[in-house]
Amino acid sequence: MKNFVVEKGKKWQLGNVTIDLIFEVQLKLSKNEFKAVLPTADFESSEIKWLTPDYITNDGNILLNEQSFLIKSKGKNILIDTGTNIPGPFEDNLKAAGCNPEDIDYVLFTHLHYDHISRNTKMVENGKLVATFPNARYLVGKEQYNHWKEIYENPDSRGKEPISRDMIWPFLLHVKAIEEMGLLDIIDEDFTLHDEIRLYSTHGHSPGSFAIIIESNGDTAWIGGDIANHPIQMTQLDSSTSFDYDPIKAAVEREEVFSKLAGTDILYFGAHFAGEKGGFIKKVDKGYRIINA
């Protein structure tokens, strides 16, 4: 496998593109707590021993990260998702990667769940809501936008969406507010930022969601968003989250994506993966594994 690592668990180089992981916070959940996220997961299976200690601790706690990705490509700074806005090291980590919030040119979203958008805006001292990345264009998929706009505007439509009750305020504060500031661009699924960044549609987790594909000088990486929220879903492909919009489709898409990437030099990042964050996909007897890059 190719070696893309510049700084282990933090920075990778693909051709002319760099990818920095901007860490926000790590969550440590008991198996019982995580059952609310993955209700059908089998944490006692011998087939998931490979997840310890990077993704499941030695004492059985489940690790999940909140994090964003900074792509530097063709002179532009592109932030993938903005996280939950939990107080912590996010801005310091962004600066360590060479950017202030004002330096971000584009914010591109895998999807609009609250844990991917909640740093879009911030409240300043006078109580005014402002854009956290004031010089950026915020790029939102058309189907995602229309889906959440419908739920926001029509209470009768909320029953079909597992996390609708958790999304009304985030959509207002972090999507509609950005739109009213004139910073929001609605994009189609065939959107390309330029020849190094394009999208791959994945609809099971949330309608109109994307994986982000980065390509430069023959090197490729995928930022998979929530195709799999935790690597246990690479072994237990049918284990969908309680907030997947279409759990069956989400499971099918996991198989499609991981089979496509398995055995290649394509670097894969999961939006919430702990461990070394980026790795290569390997096919095994039971599903797939991610091998540290």
Side-chain angles (χ1 to χ4, degrees):
M1 295 295 180
K2 289 188 176 182
N3 182 13
F4 299 118
V5 176
V6 176
E7 187 175 357
K8 193 172 182 178
K10 293 184 178 180
K11 182 188 286 286
W12 299 261
Q13 178 88 37
L14 292 88
N16 298 318
V17 175
T18 60
I19 302 173
D20 287 270
L21 182 132
I22 312 300
F23 175 79
E24 181 177 15
V25 69
Q26 185 167 89
L27 307 177
K28 186 183 291 186
L29 305 176
S30 70
K31 292 176 182 177
N32 284 338
E33 289 172 324
F34 199 57
K35 276 289 187 181
V37 178
L38 278 178
T40 65
D42 179 5
F43 295 108
E44 308 309 319
S45 170
S46 62
E47 293 165 337
I48 65 168
K49 289 181 178 179
W50 70 274
L51 296 170
T52 303
D54 283 349
Y55 308 106
I56 299 178
T57 65
N58 289 318
D59 55 357
N61 288 312
I62 314 302
L63 299 177
L64 285 171
N65 282 5
E66 299 293 349
Q67 55 205 7
S68 301
F69 299 88
L70 174 65
I71 302 172
K72 296 179 181 178
S73 171
K74 294 188 179 290
K76 299 297 183 182
N77 299 313
I78 304 108
L79 189 66
I80 308 300
D81 296 336
T82 67
T84 57
N85 203 19
I86 294 172
F90 181 93
E91 192 162 322
D92 287 342
N93 290 337
L94 185 64
K95 289 178 180 178
C99 279
N100 292 307
E102 295 78 15
D103 299 324
I104 300 299
D105 298 292
Y106 298 97
V107 181
L108 176 57
F109 299 96
T110 59
H111 61 297
L112 297 181
H113 284 176
Y114 64 88
D115 57 328
H116 293 255
I117 65 171
S118 291
R119 192 174 271 101
N120 290 4
T121 61
K122 62 182 180 180
M123 195 78 72
V124 294
E125 289 181 2
N126 63 4
K128 183 179 180 182
L129 197 66
V130 300
T132 305
F133 310 99
N135 299 316
R137 302 302 303 176
Y138 289 69
L139 308 178
V140 172
K142 180 188 292 184
E143 187 174 352
Q144 270 283 293
Y145 176 83
N146 288 338
H147 173 72
W148 288 111
K149 182 173 181 285
E150 169 71 14
I151 288 170
Y152 172 74
E153 293 178 346
N154 298 291
D156 290 344
S157 69
R158 295 173 189 171
K160 63 184 180 181
E161 170 57 59
I163 64 167
S164 62
R165 64 181 182 178
D166 299 316
M167 276 296 301
I168 304 307
W169 279 107
F171 185 80
L172 173 64
L173 294 174
H174 304 301
V175 179
K176 291 297 292 181
I178 288 294
E179 183 176 33
E180 290 168 4
M181 294 173 197
L183 300 176
L184 190 75
D185 293 332
I186 306 296
I187 59 175
D188 291 314
E189 60 183 25
D190 60 354
F191 171 86
T192 57
L193 187 56
H194 46 57
D195 62 0
E196 290 181 336
I197 298 178
R198 59 187 177 89
L199 308 176
Y200 181 92
S201 294
T202 59
H203 299 283
H205 181 64
S206 187
S209 56
F210 301 126
I212 314 299
I213 301 177
I214 303 104
E215 298 169 309
S216 180
N217 290 356
D219 296 333
T220 304
W222 283 49
I223 297 173
D226 287 357
I227 291 172
N229 286 71
H230 189 274
I232 193 173
Q233 295 173 276
M234 304 179 74
T235 298
Q236 299 174 12
L237 292 162
D238 291 339
S239 184
S240 292
T241 73
S242 55
F243 37 82
D244 281 339
Y245 185 78
D246 186 335
I248 295 174
K249 190 169 189 177
V252 169
E253 288 174 345
R254 274 190 291 280
E255 172 66 43
E256 288 177 349
V257 169
F258 294 140
S259 65
K260 183 189 297 285
L261 303 187
T264 72
D265 283 331
I266 296 173
L267 189 60
Y268 182 83
F269 300 92
H272 299 289
F273 284 15
E276 294 182 14
K277 291 83 175 181
F280 302 105
I281 307 301
K282 178 183 178 181
K283 182 74 176 79
V284 293
D285 288 342
K286 180 67 173 178
Y288 300 86
R289 294 184 184 181
I290 185 165
I291 308 300
N292 287 336

